[in-house]
Amino acid sequence: RTQSTFLTTHLASWGFVVAATGTETGIFMDHQQFARDTRSFLHWVDHESDLPGSWLKSMAWDGDWSAVGHSMGGGALGLLVGIEPRVRTIIGLQSAQVSGPWLQSMQAFTGRAFHVAGSSDWIVPPAMVFLGFDAAQSADRNVYFLVEGMGHLGCLDNPGSLDPLPAAEQS
């Protein structure tokens, strides 16, 4: 079970195959390892979808992939697009950015990038999220959203109760 059960359940209710990793948890995660774990997991789901008798039989498709990440998981998206060409859409929810290879991957990304920031997020302030938007200028579509009053946990199951935007409206 991940922190973003609400988001994954909601996306699955629309018919999407949703897979959430449970690696690299905690405050000192390795963004590069998280990107590699995510790539491996995406390939595993794709492979399992092709196997006769698999519960995933024919659920994944052969087209482009999308990836969503929150906080450090959102920061790992920039590294993921540098190592997995099938990921053509990324949605970073209050993405904690990293430097070096992350910046190069984001600058080279030509897919679709969506960046969501919360105006009341003191963990990953809007200015940090904007770095991802600014770096992804080569993207086919590059959009930055600022949700007024949303804190860092606004897109998860249990948003902060002290944020200006009521918790029921954040999630």
Side-chain angles (χ1 to χ4, degrees):
R1 181 171 161 101
T2 67
Q3 291 180 356
S4 56
T5 307
F6 174 79
L7 178 61
T8 56
T9 302
H10 178 74
L11 291 172
S13 77
W14 283 84
F16 293 99
V17 174
V18 180
T21 61
T23 62
E24 295 303 318
T25 59
I27 195 162
F28 299 111
M29 70 175 268
D30 181 331
H31 281 91
Q32 290 181 331
Q33 186 59 49
F34 195 26
R36 288 189 297 267
D37 291 348
T38 302
R39 178 187 61 189
S40 295
F41 195 35
L42 288 168
H43 281 276
W44 180 85
V45 169
D46 187 54
H47 174 72
E48 286 293 309
S49 179
D50 290 337
L51 294 178
S54 170
W55 65 276
L56 285 169
K57 179 66 182 149
S58 301
M59 291 181 72
W61 74 320
D62 293 330
D64 294 340
W65 292 337
S66 300
V68 179
H70 173 256
S71 195
M72 292 183 182
L77 295 175
L79 296 167
L80 178 62
V81 299
I83 62 173
E84 181 49 62
R86 286 186 66 184
V87 174
R88 301 297 300 146
T89 301
I90 56 173
I91 303 167
L93 306 170
Q94 295 130 312
S95 300
Q97 311 306 334
V98 293
S99 58
W102 170 87
L103 181 61
Q104 296 162 348
S105 293
M106 288 300 289
Q107 289 172 334
F109 184 56
T110 59
R112 291 157 304 281
F114 301 89
H115 316 269
V116 179
S119 69
S120 297
D121 187 347
W122 56 272
I123 296 172
V124 180
M128 182 180 286
V129 176
F130 193 82
L131 292 173
F133 171 75
D134 195 43
Q137 294 303 308
S138 295
D140 180 46
R141 174 168 274 187
N142 188 30
V143 183
Y144 173 84
F145 299 95
L146 178 65
V147 180
E148 291 295 330
M150 184 171 74
H152 189 65
L153 303 177
C155 63
L156 303 180
D157 292 348
N158 299 305
S161 59
L162 300 177
D163 299 331
L165 186 63
E169 292 182 43
Q170 289 188 63
S171 62

